[in-house]
Every structure is written in structure tokens, then in C-alpha cells.
């Protein structure tokens, strides 16, 4: 299909019930939808192939309209307003929370897997069209549709089935798609309910209008109550709460895991090969996630996430992975779907993520830093978990001299990445701190000695002698990497340290476009062709570094420009094209919204915003 037929990524919005996720375009089309788990097979996926992969659209029959939209306050319930020459139509989209029974919690209750779409005419009259084109297995399976009644259709094929109940009657039905229309007048409304079921358990049932209303009200009130719990009261509360809602929306409620993004294979470069599946949970995100949740007052979610982390990483410390499925799955094989053309022709489309089997040294530090944050916020570490953490520290000692694939999961040759060595230092530093705090026994002398050896190595090999900035890898001629901005954030040096200052000043001068930061120079280091846009979280790291180094004015100016790249409902993708303003990559991206939250906190209280994340200055041995 012509690339221009695909809407910009920024024109999508996410709805979620903490189990399922869907992306809805400004024209009322669901172009991506996985029901019951984020990494499940989608039932609509035309964002990855406009012709083959299915969609579900409700909109005015006449395309002559102006569309605006918003989330209902404090929720992940989307409202799209179509203004036509004849009248105004309001479309409300939500994944319904099941009404909890006695003693049940609304977030953990097993969902009904129901997507509800409500249309209402506010003024005049509007002819409404609905087009339902399900395609299962990433467009590979064209299901059979059966019309059971004027308002009831079932679709089944393979391992999936859908029940569609609609007050917008089906005027035309085909074997694999259906469409119809109805004119609504001022004050009239109609609803559509899409329910996921297993084909061998197919049990079509109707909801009454009252039941739909209760589900809508319950879903709105549940989200709003959660948003109200946010304790951040700074000048960017609206953006912080929206980012928190994104994180909650990307959470798998039963396990507490948070996926990196709701999508797979939205490209880092249009037409390029940098297309990855982000519907898994990375340990790299865990320290930032836990710190953000605790900082915003979401202790319950932080502890649920920590519970998932403890269960998932259990086993041999040497077998620790960088990412897992939301249920703790370890086997995440990467497969290319060659029948899909990809977003705007960006091939290949991938599911699974081969990076799960990479050796990335920093993962040990991510885990122990997360445990440190958890402990500093009152979490308990039992003897079994402590024994495991000691084995993690032992694995670090065994392997920290090896080259690795690094934080950016390069597919080229392993290198001695500076940030990887810093995170190995973090791992040993945190295990020592936990032992000292709780009076734990362990190989403390060995942990301290290796920590000191790592510091000496990093300061000797990981700093460019000419500029004084931290470099990407040892012996690479002084090349920069945005991950070096994290070195003061994790407490290896103070933000005011000359090396930290040299790093962010060189990053601004050499690795950014108008202050928006690239990860690194794509000169073959990652084993991939093509280029990429600036990474949103790297730019937020720069804001954080500037703020904590006392450069508040520069930090705030960059932060507010970054906010201007959020889409109309406050969402961010993985990357930002600073020239076109286009959002690029998987969407919405948890990492980007975590960066926004951390940067906002740093601007609001730069002196103490990290007090729960890092050891105090006085007890960080060896910090200049």
C-alpha cells in the first residue's frame, strides 16, 4: 500500500484494561488490538499491513468532518468528537473493567475481555457507519463471520473468536467482514460491545443498555480513583499523571509486570529494518519504574512489580535475562512475519525478541538497583531472596571483564561498554549497601574489592582524556553514547562532577539535534543498516542531568520543548524526529513516560528527588 495511507503514529491513542491494549486512530478506527494479553495475537493489526491485517471503524458516514479527542479526566477512556456539517457525534472507547464481586479488587479481577464503543449524537443528526473486519494471527487467518441476529455477529477461526453486539445494525455482511450504518439524532446514542472468547467456549450473549452504562461508569471511576492517588503536586502534574496512566495501562494486572510498549515493529526509521517487539518487560526499566511508582505514591503497584521481579528472576543467577514475558516467560524467540508489509513498508515485522538471549552485563546492576530502591522504600528482603542476590553479585564478579551487547542491544560484535561496567559497579555497590543496612552476611570483602577495581578501570578507560567526558566503550577513540548520561543518575559520580558536566555538554554539542538526544552515532556499531531518530528517554535524561547540576533554566526549557512533542492526548513513542516532529517507534513507550516523570521530579525538587533511589552522598564510597 502507498506509505501515505498509514496515519502518523502520533494519531493513535491507547485504551487498556491492564490486560488488553488497542490503538485507535483519530478517524475512529481500531488498527491494533490484542485482547487478554499485550503479547497475544492481535485481532486487528492493519497498522502493520493496511490491506491484510484487519480493523474496526466507527465514524460519520460522510468523511467531511473535523475530529478532536481527549481522555476523560484521569482515565484511559478515550472520547473522540466528530463535528460534521449536519451535527456532532461523540465516540467513547474503553476496555471495560469487570464489575468486581464481593471481596474482589477491580484491578486484579479476571476481566470479561470486552471492548465497548458508545456513539452519541450531541446536536443535529449524523449518519454513522461501522465496519468490522477482524483478521486473526497477524492477518494470516481470515475468520468466518456468522450473523446470528440483526444485532449479533460471531467471528471465529483458528484459536480465537469474537462476539460483536451492535446497536448499529449490520446492513451488509460478507463471509469475513460486516458493515452497516444508522442515523442518530440529537440525544440518541448506540453502543457496540466486542467480546473475546475461545472458539470452543463460544457463548454469544447480549448486554443490556443498563449493563453497558454500569461498565462505563465503573471503568471511569476506577481509573479516576487511581489517578487521584498520585502524590506529585508540581507544575507538571497533568503530564505526570498522564504518564502514570500510561504506565498503569501497560501493566499486566495479575502479575504486576509492565510491558515496554503496547506494539511490535513500529519502526525506528520509516522503511528501515529497526523494528522490534516491545511487548515484554525489561529489567532495564525496573529501577526507573520502581522509583517512579514510589515517588508518585503508588506503593501498591511498586510492590506488585517487585513481586513479579522476584518470582521471575528466581533460579540460577547466571541465567538472569534482560527481559521476560509478563507472566515470567523466558523463551521469547524472534520470528519474522514475511506476509506483512510493515508500517509504511518498514520490514521485517517481528514478533518475539531475540535480544532476550544476549549477554548484557548491565542487567545485574538493574536488578540490584531495583532491589535497593525497594529496600529504601520499606520493602523486606527475606533470607531466600538475599541468598539469590548474593549469587547475582557472584555472577557479576565472574563476568564483569567480558565484553557484552550493551544497553542498546547491539547486534554487532560485543564491546567493553562503559555503561555496562558502571552498572556492574552499581550491582556490587548496592549489594554491599543492602548488606550494611540490614546486617547481612556475605562475601563483602570480595564485593568491595571488585567494586573498587571496577571504579578504577572505568575512570581510567571509560573517560576521554581530551574532553573529560565518559565514552561509549573502552578504546573507541572518545565516541559518545547517551547511556553515559545515566552515570551520574545511578550515583557513580555527582551531577556536578566535571566528568558528568563534560558528558552532558559534549552530548548537547555532538549527539543531539537542537537538544534532542540520539542514542549513539549509527556507524555500524549495532550491526544494522540505516539511521534512527532521537530517543525520547535520552533527552529526558539530559533534562535530569542539567536540573541536578544546577542548570535549571536550560533543563526546563528543554523539558517544555519535549512536552510539545507529546501527541494531542499526551502520549509519546520511543523516538522523536526533531526536524519533522513525528513520533517514531513502538507506541506508547513506557521508557519515554518514565523519563518524563523522572525529569519532572528532578525539575520540581532537584536536591532530594533521588533521595530514595541512591545512597546519600556521605555514604557513597569512592564518589568524587
Amino acid at each position: 500500500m502507498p506509505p501515505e495511507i498509514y496515519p502518523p503514529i502520533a494519531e493513535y491513542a491507547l485504551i487498556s484494561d491492564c490486560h488488553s491494549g488497542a490503538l485507535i486512530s483519530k478517524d475512529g478506527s481500531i488498527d491494533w488490538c490484542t485482547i487478554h494479553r499485550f503479547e497475544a495475537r492481535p485481532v486487528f493489526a492493519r497498522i502493520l499491513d493496511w490491506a491484510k491485517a484487519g480493523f474496526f471503524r466507527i465514524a460519520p458516514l460522510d468523511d467531511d468532518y473535523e475530529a478532536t479527542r481527549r481522555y476523560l479526566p484521569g482515565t484511559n477512556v478515550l472520547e473522540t468528537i466528530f463535528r460534521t456539517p449536519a451535527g456532532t457525534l461523540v465516540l467513547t472507547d474503553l476496555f471495560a473493567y469487570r464489575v468486581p464481586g464481593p471481596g474482589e479488587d477491580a484491578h486484579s479481577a479476571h476481566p470479561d475481555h470486552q471492548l465497548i464503543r458508545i456513539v452519541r449524537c450531541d446536536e443535529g443528526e449524523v449518519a454513522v457507519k461501522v465496519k468490522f473486519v477482524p483478521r486473526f494471527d497477524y492477518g494470516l487467518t481470515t475468520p468466518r463471520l456468522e450473523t446470528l441476529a440483526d444485532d449479533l455477529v460471531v467471528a471465529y477461526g483458528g484459536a480465537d473468536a469474537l462476539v460483536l453486539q451492535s446497536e448499529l445494525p449490520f446492513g451488509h455482511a460478507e463471509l469475513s467482514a460486516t458493515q452497516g450504518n444508522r442515523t442518530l439524532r440529537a440525544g440518541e446514542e448506540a453502543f457496540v460491545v466486542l467480546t473475546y472468547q475461545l472458539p470452543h467456549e463460544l457463548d454469544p450473549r447480549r448486554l443490556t443498555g443498563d449493563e453497558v452504562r454500569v461498565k462505563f461508569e465503573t471503568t471511569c471511576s476506577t481509573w479516576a480513583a487511581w489517578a487521584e492517588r498520585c502524590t506529585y503536586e508540581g507544575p507538571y502534574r497533568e503530564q505526570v499523571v498522564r504518564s502514570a496512566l500510561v504506565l498503569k495501562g501497560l501493566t499486566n494486572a495479575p502479575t504486576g509486570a509492565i510491558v515496554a510498549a503496547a506494539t511490535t515493529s513500529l519502526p525506528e526509521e520509516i522503511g528501515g529494518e529497526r523494528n522490534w517487539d516491545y511487548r515484554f518487560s525489561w529489567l532495564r526499566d525496573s529501577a526507573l519504574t520502581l522509583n517512579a511508582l514510589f515517588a508518585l505514591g503508588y506503593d501498591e503497584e511498586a510492590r506488585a512489580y517487585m513481586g513479579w521481579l522476584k518470582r521471575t528472576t528466581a533460579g540460577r543467577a547466571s541465567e538472569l535475562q534482560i527481559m521476560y514475558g509478563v507472566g515470567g516467560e523466558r523463551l521469547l524467540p524472534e520470528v519474522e512475519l514475511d506476509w506483512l508489509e510493515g508500517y509504511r513498508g518498514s520490514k521485517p515485522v517481528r514478533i518475539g525478541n531475540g535480544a532476550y538471549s544476549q549477554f548484557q552485563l548491565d542487567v545485574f546492576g538493574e536488578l540490584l538497583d531495583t532491589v535497593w530502591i525497594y529496600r529504601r522504600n520499606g520493602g523486606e528482603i527475606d533470607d531466600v531472596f538475599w541468598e539469590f542476590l548474593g549469587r547475582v553479585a557472584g555472577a557479576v564478579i565472574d563476568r564483569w571483564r567480558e565484553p557484552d551487547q550493551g544497553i542498546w542491544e547491539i547486534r554487532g560484535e560485543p564491546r567493553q561498554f562503559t555503561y555496562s561496567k558502571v552498572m556492574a559497579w552499581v550491582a556490587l555497590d548496592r549489594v554491599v549497601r543492602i548488606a550494611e543496612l540490614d546486617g547481612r552476611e556475605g562475601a563483602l570483602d570480595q564485593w568491595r574489592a571488585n567494586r573498587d577495581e571496577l571504579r578504577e578501570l572505568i575512570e581510567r578507560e571509560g573517560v576521554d582524556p581530551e574532553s573529560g567526558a565518559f565514552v561509549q566503550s573502552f578504546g573507541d577513540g572518545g565516541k559518545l553514547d547517551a547511556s553515559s548520561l545515566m552515570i551520574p543518575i545511578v550515583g557513580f559520580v555527582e551531577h556536578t562532577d566535571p566528568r558528568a558536566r563534560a558528558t552532558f555538554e559534549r552530548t548537547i554539542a555532538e549527539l543531539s539535534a537542537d537538544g534532542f538526544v540520539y542514542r549513539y552515532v549509527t556507524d555500524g556499531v549495532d550491526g544494522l543498516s540505516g539511521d534512527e531518530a532521537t530517543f525520547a528517554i535520552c533527552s529526558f535524561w539530559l533534562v535530569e542531568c542539567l536540573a541536578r547540576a544546577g542548570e535549571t533554566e536550560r533543563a526546563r526549557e528543554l523539558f517544555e520543548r519535549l512536552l510539545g512533542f507529546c501527541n494531542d492526548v499526551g502520549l509519546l513513542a520511543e523516538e522523536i524526529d526533531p526536524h519533522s516532529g513525528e513520533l517514531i517507534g513502538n507506541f506508547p513507550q513506557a521508557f519515554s513516560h518514565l523519563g518524563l516523570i523522572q525529569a519532572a521530579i528532578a525539575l520540581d525538587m532537584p536536591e532530594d528527588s533521588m533521595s530514595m533511589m541512591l545512597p546519600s552522598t556521605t555514604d557513597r564510597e569512592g564518589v568524587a
Side-chain angles (χ1 to χ4, degrees):
M1 300 296 290
E4 58 270 16
I5 201 169
Y6 289 84
I9 291 169
E11 289 197 4
Y12 286 97
L14 174 75
I15 61 171
S16 165
D17 63 354
C18 300
H19 297 82
S20 313
L23 294 186
I24 305 174
S25 70
K26 276 188 173 181
D27 67 357
S29 182
I30 298 176
D31 293 339
W32 174 261
C33 180
T34 59
I35 301 186
H36 75 83
R37 283 192 20 154
F38 284 103
E39 80 281 18
R41 301 175 300 271
V43 296
F44 311 112
R46 76 168 175 176
I47 197 171
L48 296 177
D49 193 304
W50 203 255
K52 298 176 186 174
F55 65 97
F56 179 20
R57 186 181 180 204
I58 298 177
L61 181 62
D62 185 348
D63 286 337
D64 181 17
Y65 58 74
E66 178 186 346
T68 58
R69 61 186 178 171
R70 62 168 186 154
Y71 284 111
L72 297 184
T75 78
N76 280 323
V77 175
L78 183 68
E79 181 183 84
T80 305
I81 301 173
F82 299 98
R83 291 182 172 85
T84 78
T88 300
L89 186 74
V90 179
L91 170 65
T92 303
D93 286 301
L94 63 141
F95 269 114
Y97 277 112
R98 182 169 69 82
V99 178
E104 284 187 316
D105 177 76
H107 286 286
S108 61
H110 186 73
D112 288 328
H113 304 310
Q114 286 182 329
L115 192 157
I116 296 176
R117 316 194 75 183
I118 303 169
V119 284
R120 183 184 72 249
C121 181
D122 274 1
E123 59 184 21
E125 65 177 36
V126 182
V128 184
K129 64 182 173 185
V130 55
K131 190 160 187 179
F132 176 64
V133 186
R135 295 291 183 268
F136 299 159
D137 297 312
Y138 299 91
L140 189 63
T141 299
T142 301
R144 177 181 178 84
L145 262 66
E146 289 186 9
T147 302
L148 304 184
D150 289 344
D151 65 341
L152 203 61
V153 166
V154 295
Y156 58 92
D160 302 299
L162 296 170
V163 178
L164 180 66
Q165 175 192 354
S166 176
E167 291 187 331
L168 299 171
F170 309 119
H172 176 68
E174 301 172 359
L175 186 62
S176 60
T178 186
Q179 64 184 27
N181 62 75
R182 172 183 167 187
T183 297
L184 295 179
R185 293 172 175 81
E188 293 182 334
E189 73 173 29
F191 66 83
V192 177
V193 179
L194 184 67
T195 304
Y196 178 87
Q197 295 183 350
L198 297 174
H200 59 280
E201 297 176 352
L202 198 55
D203 183 20
R205 294 184 180 180
R206 292 177 174 86
L207 295 180
T208 67
D210 287 343
E211 288 173 324
V212 170
R213 177 58 54 185
V214 167
K215 286 177 178 285
F216 167 75
E217 292 174 351
T218 298
T219 301
C220 289
S221 62
T222 301
W223 280 120
W226 189 87
E228 189 61 30
R229 287 171 46 204
C230 179
T231 56
Y232 172 84
E233 296 292 348
Y236 304 107
R237 179 174 170 83
E238 179 182 351
Q239 293 89 348
V240 167
V241 169
R242 176 48 54 197
S243 291
L245 283 162
V246 171
L247 297 183
K248 184 63 175 175
L250 295 175
T251 299
N252 177 268
T255 67
I258 300 176
V259 297
T263 56
T264 181
S265 297
L266 294 186
E268 296 174 13
E269 179 187 30
I270 300 299
E273 66 171 326
R274 300 167 184 269
N275 318 315
W276 315 109
D277 193 345
Y278 277 9
R279 297 170 298 160
F280 307 109
S281 194
W282 269 253
L283 294 195
R284 181 163 300 119
D285 302 10
S286 59
L288 290 176
T289 298
L290 213 66
N291 196 56
L293 290 172
F294 276 128
L296 301 183
Y298 292 114
D299 291 19
E300 178 184 337
E301 286 73 17
R303 296 179 194 283
Y305 182 81
M306 191 65 198
W308 172 83
L309 195 66
K310 289 172 66 175
R311 294 189 304 271
T312 299
T313 58
R316 288 193 177 187
S318 60
E319 297 172 355
L320 195 67
Q321 292 185 187
I322 65 165
M323 71 178 87
Y324 300 87
V326 296
E329 297 85 358
R330 298 190 176 204
L331 187 62
L332 310 173
E334 187 174 297
V335 178
E336 295 184 3
L337 308 184
D338 58 8
W339 62 88
L340 297 176
E341 73 170 10
Y343 177 79
R344 294 198 203 170
S346 303
K347 299 185 74 168
V349 171
R350 297 180 174 95
I351 58 172
N353 197 309
Y356 82 92
S357 61
Q358 285 186 350
F359 171 52
Q360 296 178 23
L361 179 62
D362 66 288
V363 70
F364 301 105
E366 315 293 354
L367 174 62
L368 279 158
D369 199 26
T370 304
V371 177
W372 170 251
I373 296 166
Y374 175 70
R375 181 66 191 89
R376 294 273 290 198
N377 282 274
E380 297 295 328
I381 299 172
D382 60 31
D383 292 342
V384 173
F385 195 42
W386 171 250
E387 189 269 338
F388 172 70
L389 297 178
R391 286 188 280 115
V392 172
V396 173
I397 290 171
D398 290 343
R399 304 200 66 179
W400 67 256
R401 294 170 181 82
E402 298 177 26
D404 74 324
Q405 254 72 34
I407 180 176
W408 306 127
E409 302 173 359
I410 65 164
R411 303 208 172 189
E413 289 299 314
R415 297 191 177 195
Q416 299 283 0
F417 286 105
T418 301
Y419 181 70
S420 296
K421 305 305 183 190
V422 169
M423 291 311 294
W425 177 90
V426 166
L428 298 174
D429 180 73
R430 302 307 191 254
V431 76
V432 167
R433 300 303 169 191
I434 294 167
E436 292 173 343
L437 183 65
D438 292 342
R440 294 279 188 177
E441 294 183 356
L444 268 76
D445 289 343
Q446 187 183 24
W447 297 340
R448 291 187 182 108
N450 277 267
R451 180 184 64 178
D452 294 344
E453 188 177 350
L454 269 162
R455 173 173 283 282
E456 181 182 354
L457 174 70
I458 294 163
E459 293 182 334
R460 183 178 69 250
E461 301 292 339
V463 179
D464 175 35
E466 292 188 14
S467 65
F470 289 104
V471 296
Q472 182 180 63
S473 59
F474 297 171
D476 66 5
K479 291 181 180 178
L480 290 174
D481 192 296
S483 63
S484 296
L485 295 170
M486 280 292 292
I487 293 176
I489 292 173
V490 300
F492 185 79
V493 296
E494 299 286 356
H495 284 85
T496 53
D497 185 286
R499 293 164 294 185
R501 286 186 176 275
T503 299
F504 68 67
E505 293 293 2
R506 268 197 69 190
T507 298
I508 293 169
E510 302 174 32
L511 201 61
S512 70
D514 197 24
F516 293 176
V517 180
Y518 294 94
R519 294 189 298 174
Y520 49 82
V521 176
T522 53
D523 59 355
V525 65
D526 55 15
L528 299 166
S529 62
D531 295 308
E532 59 187 27
T534 63
F535 258 58
I537 194 168
C538 299
S539 301
F540 286 121
W541 288 344
L542 178 56
V543 171
E544 195 170 350
C545 288
L546 287 167
R548 295 211 177 97
E551 303 278 353
T552 307
E553 186 175 337
R554 294 170 73 191
R556 193 174 303 280
E557 188 271 337
L558 175 57
F559 183 71
E560 292 184 353
R561 279 197 290 119
L562 283 165
L563 292 182
F565 284 85
C566 294
N567 76 354
D568 57 315
V569 289
L571 305 187
L572 283 166
E574 182 180 23
E575 301 184 18
I576 299 168
D577 185 327
H579 307 296
S580 68
E582 189 171 9
L583 297 181
I584 299 292
N586 283 306
F587 178 84
Q589 180 85 359
F591 222 16
S592 300
H593 287 279
L594 284 168
L596 187 156
I597 291 169
Q598 289 295 116
I601 292 171
L603 282 166
D604 195 33
M605 38 187 181
E607 296 301 321
D608 55 27
S609 61
M610 294 292 282
S611 62
M612 299 305 291
M613 185 172 181
L614 300 174
S616 67
T617 305
T618 56
D619 70 4
R620 265 183 280 157
E621 181 178 305
V623 173

PDB file of all heavy atoms in Angstrom, residues 507-525:
ATOM      1  N   THR A 507      27.408  15.884  24.824  1.00  0.00           N
ATOM      2  CA  THR A 507      26.188  15.276  24.276  1.00  0.00           C
ATOM      3  C   THR A 507      25.354  16.333  23.565  1.00  0.00           C
ATOM      4  O   THR A 507      24.843  16.106  22.458  1.00  0.00           O
ATOM      5  CB  THR A 507      25.370  14.607  25.396  1.00  0.00           C
ATOM      6  OG1 THR A 507      26.152  13.546  25.975  1.00  0.00           O
ATOM      7  CG2 THR A 507      24.071  14.048  24.857  1.00  0.00           C
ATOM      8  N   ILE A 508      25.202  17.494  24.188  1.00  0.00           N
ATOM      9  CA  ILE A 508      24.444  18.585  23.571  1.00  0.00           C
ATOM     10  C   ILE A 508      25.097  19.027  22.271  1.00  0.00           C
ATOM     11  O   ILE A 508      24.431  19.252  21.254  1.00  0.00           O
ATOM     12  CB  ILE A 508      24.324  19.773  24.556  1.00  0.00           C
ATOM     13  CG1 ILE A 508      23.448  19.385  25.749  1.00  0.00           C
ATOM     14  CG2 ILE A 508      23.757  21.004  23.844  1.00  0.00           C
ATOM     15  CD1 ILE A 508      23.489  20.395  26.891  1.00  0.00           C
ATOM     16  N   ALA A 509      26.413  19.111  22.282  1.00  0.00           N
ATOM     17  CA  ALA A 509      27.136  19.653  21.123  1.00  0.00           C
ATOM     18  C   ALA A 509      27.256  18.644  19.987  1.00  0.00           C
ATOM     19  O   ALA A 509      27.213  19.029  18.811  1.00  0.00           O
ATOM     20  CB  ALA A 509      28.523  20.114  21.558  1.00  0.00           C
ATOM     21  N   GLU A 510      27.406  17.351  20.311  1.00  0.00           N
ATOM     22  CA  GLU A 510      27.789  16.375  19.291  1.00  0.00           C
ATOM     23  C   GLU A 510      26.790  15.246  19.065  1.00  0.00           C
ATOM     24  O   GLU A 510      26.861  14.566  18.032  1.00  0.00           O
ATOM     25  CB  GLU A 510      29.141  15.745  19.670  1.00  0.00           C
ATOM     26  CG  GLU A 510      30.264  16.740  19.838  1.00  0.00           C
ATOM     27  CD  GLU A 510      31.534  16.083  20.356  1.00  0.00           C
ATOM     28  OE1 GLU A 510      31.771  14.899  20.029  1.00  0.00           O
ATOM     29  OE2 GLU A 510      32.276  16.756  21.106  1.00  0.00           O
ATOM     30  N   LEU A 511      25.866  15.036  19.996  1.00  0.00           N
ATOM     31  CA  LEU A 511      24.989  13.864  19.890  1.00  0.00           C
ATOM     32  C   LEU A 511      23.523  14.271  19.983  1.00  0.00           C
ATOM     33  O   LEU A 511      22.680  13.496  20.416  1.00  0.00           O
ATOM     34  CB  LEU A 511      25.330  12.851  20.998  1.00  0.00           C
ATOM     35  CG  LEU A 511      24.895  11.394  20.766  1.00  0.00           C
ATOM     36  CD1 LEU A 511      25.546  10.809  19.540  1.00  0.00           C
ATOM     37  CD2 LEU A 511      25.198  10.536  21.989  1.00  0.00           C
ATOM     38  N   SER A 512      23.222  15.490  19.584  1.00  0.00           N
ATOM     39  CA  SER A 512      21.841  15.934  19.684  1.00  0.00           C
ATOM     40  C   SER A 512      21.486  16.833  18.503  1.00  0.00           C
ATOM     41  O   SER A 512      22.365  17.375  17.828  1.00  0.00           O
ATOM     42  CB  SER A 512      21.597  16.688  20.999  1.00  0.00           C
ATOM     43  OG  SER A 512      22.240  17.948  20.999  1.00  0.00           O
ATOM     44  N   ALA A 513      20.193  16.953  18.301  1.00  0.00           N
ATOM     45  CA  ALA A 513      19.654  17.883  17.314  1.00  0.00           C
ATOM     46  C   ALA A 513      18.769  18.857  18.075  1.00  0.00           C
ATOM     47  O   ALA A 513      17.704  18.487  18.561  1.00  0.00           O
ATOM     48  CB  ALA A 513      18.856  17.142  16.242  1.00  0.00           C
ATOM     49  N   ASP A 514      19.245  20.076  18.225  1.00  0.00           N
ATOM     50  CA  ASP A 514      18.504  21.099  18.962  1.00  0.00           C
ATOM     51  C   ASP A 514      18.187  20.643  20.379  1.00  0.00           C
ATOM     52  O   ASP A 514      17.126  20.927  20.915  1.00  0.00           O
ATOM     53  CB  ASP A 514      17.216  21.452  18.209  1.00  0.00           C
ATOM     54  CG  ASP A 514      16.623  22.774  18.675  1.00  0.00           C
ATOM     55  OD1 ASP A 514      17.385  23.602  19.212  1.00  0.00           O
ATOM     56  OD2 ASP A 514      15.405  22.961  18.520  1.00  0.00           O
ATOM     57  N   GLY A 515      19.120  19.903  20.982  1.00  0.00           N
ATOM     58  CA  GLY A 515      18.942  19.436  22.357  1.00  0.00           C
ATOM     59  C   GLY A 515      18.310  18.069  22.471  1.00  0.00           C
ATOM     60  O   GLY A 515      18.323  17.470  23.545  1.00  0.00           O
ATOM     61  N   PHE A 516      17.746  17.540  21.387  1.00  0.00           N
ATOM     62  CA  PHE A 516      17.123  16.220  21.421  1.00  0.00           C
ATOM     63  C   PHE A 516      18.208  15.185  21.125  1.00  0.00           C
ATOM     64  O   PHE A 516      18.906  15.278  20.115  1.00  0.00           O
ATOM     65  CB  PHE A 516      15.993  16.114  20.415  1.00  0.00           C
ATOM     66  CG  PHE A 516      14.818  17.000  20.746  1.00  0.00           C
ATOM     67  CD1 PHE A 516      13.741  17.083  19.897  1.00  0.00           C
ATOM     68  CD2 PHE A 516      14.779  17.754  21.909  1.00  0.00           C
ATOM     69  CE1 PHE A 516      12.650  17.887  20.189  1.00  0.00           C
ATOM     70  CE2 PHE A 516      13.717  18.558  22.217  1.00  0.00           C
ATOM     71  CZ  PHE A 516      12.644  18.640  21.358  1.00  0.00           C
ATOM     72  N   VAL A 517      18.303  14.166  21.964  1.00  0.00           N
ATOM     73  CA  VAL A 517      19.492  13.327  22.025  1.00  0.00           C
ATOM     74  C   VAL A 517      19.322  12.023  21.234  1.00  0.00           C
ATOM     75  O   VAL A 517      18.327  11.309  21.391  1.00  0.00           O
ATOM     76  CB  VAL A 517      19.832  13.008  23.491  1.00  0.00           C
ATOM     77  CG1 VAL A 517      21.072  12.118  23.584  1.00  0.00           C
ATOM     78  CG2 VAL A 517      20.053  14.306  24.279  1.00  0.00           C
ATOM     79  N   TYR A 518      20.324  11.722  20.412  1.00  0.00           N
ATOM     80  CA  TYR A 518      20.438  10.414  19.772  1.00  0.00           C
ATOM     81  C   TYR A 518      21.112   9.440  20.748  1.00  0.00           C
ATOM     82  O   TYR A 518      21.883   9.849  21.620  1.00  0.00           O
ATOM     83  CB  TYR A 518      21.267  10.505  18.492  1.00  0.00           C
ATOM     84  CG  TYR A 518      20.638  11.324  17.401  1.00  0.00           C
ATOM     85  CD1 TYR A 518      20.942  12.684  17.245  1.00  0.00           C
ATOM     86  CD2 TYR A 518      19.734  10.751  16.507  1.00  0.00           C
ATOM     87  CE1 TYR A 518      20.365  13.437  16.237  1.00  0.00           C
ATOM     88  CE2 TYR A 518      19.144  11.502  15.496  1.00  0.00           C
ATOM     89  CZ  TYR A 518      19.464  12.844  15.369  1.00  0.00           C
ATOM     90  OH  TYR A 518      18.878  13.592  14.377  1.00  0.00           O
ATOM     91  N   ARG A 519      20.858   8.152  20.558  1.00  0.00           N
ATOM     92  CA  ARG A 519      21.493   7.172  21.446  1.00  0.00           C
ATOM     93  C   ARG A 519      23.004   7.120  21.214  1.00  0.00           C
ATOM     94  O   ARG A 519      23.780   7.051  22.164  1.00  0.00           O
ATOM     95  CB  ARG A 519      20.896   5.785  21.231  1.00  0.00           C
ATOM     96  CG  ARG A 519      19.443   5.665  21.642  1.00  0.00           C
ATOM     97  CD  ARG A 519      18.970   4.228  21.610  1.00  0.00           C
ATOM     98  NE  ARG A 519      19.057   3.664  20.264  1.00  0.00           N
ATOM     99  CZ  ARG A 519      18.822   2.386  19.978  1.00  0.00           C
ATOM    100  NH1 ARG A 519      18.519   1.537  20.952  1.00  0.00           N
ATOM    101  NH2 ARG A 519      18.896   1.945  18.722  1.00  0.00           N
ATOM    102  N   TYR A 520      23.387   7.080  19.976  1.00  0.00           N
ATOM    103  CA  TYR A 520      24.798   6.975  19.594  1.00  0.00           C
ATOM    104  C   TYR A 520      24.884   7.272  18.109  1.00  0.00           C
ATOM    105  O   TYR A 520      23.852   7.393  17.430  1.00  0.00           O
ATOM    106  CB  TYR A 520      25.369   5.581  19.893  1.00  0.00           C
ATOM    107  CG  TYR A 520      24.496   4.444  19.387  1.00  0.00           C
ATOM    108  CD1 TYR A 520      24.548   4.025  18.059  1.00  0.00           C
ATOM    109  CD2 TYR A 520      23.606   3.786  20.242  1.00  0.00           C
ATOM    110  CE1 TYR A 520      23.740   3.005  17.586  1.00  0.00           C
ATOM    111  CE2 TYR A 520      22.796   2.760  19.788  1.00  0.00           C
ATOM    112  CZ  TYR A 520      22.873   2.370  18.462  1.00  0.00           C
ATOM    113  OH  TYR A 520      22.067   1.361  17.996  1.00  0.00           O
ATOM    114  N   VAL A 521      26.080   7.358  17.581  1.00  0.00           N
ATOM    115  CA  VAL A 521      26.266   7.543  16.150  1.00  0.00           C
ATOM    116  C   VAL A 521      26.145   6.181  15.480  1.00  0.00           C
ATOM    117  O   VAL A 521      26.878   5.251  15.813  1.00  0.00           O
ATOM    118  CB  VAL A 521      27.641   8.169  15.837  1.00  0.00           C
ATOM    119  CG1 VAL A 521      27.845   8.271  14.328  1.00  0.00           C
ATOM    120  CG2 VAL A 521      27.753   9.532  16.487  1.00  0.00           C
ATOM    121  N   THR A 522      25.204   6.032  14.561  1.00  0.00           N
ATOM    122  CA  THR A 522      24.961   4.739  13.918  1.00  0.00           C
ATOM    123  C   THR A 522      25.968   4.531  12.790  1.00  0.00           C
ATOM    124  O   THR A 522      25.691   4.744  11.618  1.00  0.00           O
ATOM    125  CB  THR A 522      23.525   4.670  13.359  1.00  0.00           C
ATOM    126  OG1 THR A 522      23.308   5.797  12.523  1.00  0.00           O
ATOM    127  CG2 THR A 522      22.507   4.677  14.474  1.00  0.00           C
ATOM    128  N   ASP A 523      27.156   4.096  13.166  1.00  0.00           N
ATOM    129  CA  ASP A 523      28.236   3.903  12.193  1.00  0.00           C
ATOM    130  C   ASP A 523      28.629   2.435  12.078  1.00  0.00           C
ATOM    131  O   ASP A 523      29.777   2.117  11.797  1.00  0.00           O
ATOM    132  CB  ASP A 523      29.451   4.745  12.590  1.00  0.00           C
ATOM    133  CG  ASP A 523      29.972   4.392  13.977  1.00  0.00           C
ATOM    134  OD1 ASP A 523      29.327   3.570  14.667  1.00  0.00           O
ATOM    135  OD2 ASP A 523      31.015   4.924  14.380  1.00  0.00           O
ATOM    136  N   GLY A 524      27.667   1.544  12.310  1.00  0.00           N
ATOM    137  CA  GLY A 524      27.960   0.127  12.202  1.00  0.00           C
ATOM    138  C   GLY A 524      28.146  -0.564  13.529  1.00  0.00           C
ATOM    139  O   GLY A 524      28.232  -1.790  13.574  1.00  0.00           O
ATOM    140  N   VAL A 525      28.179   0.195  14.620  1.00  0.00           N
ATOM    141  CA  VAL A 525      28.398  -0.409  15.928  1.00  0.00           C
ATOM    142  C   VAL A 525      27.297  -1.397  16.287  1.00  0.00           C
ATOM    143  O   VAL A 525      27.530  -2.375  16.989  1.00  0.00           O
ATOM    144  CB  VAL A 525      28.521   0.668  17.026  1.00  0.00           C
ATOM    145  CG1 VAL A 525      27.221   1.436  17.187  1.00  0.00           C
ATOM    146  CG2 VAL A 525      28.922   0.050  18.362  1.00  0.00           C
TER     147      VAL A 525
END
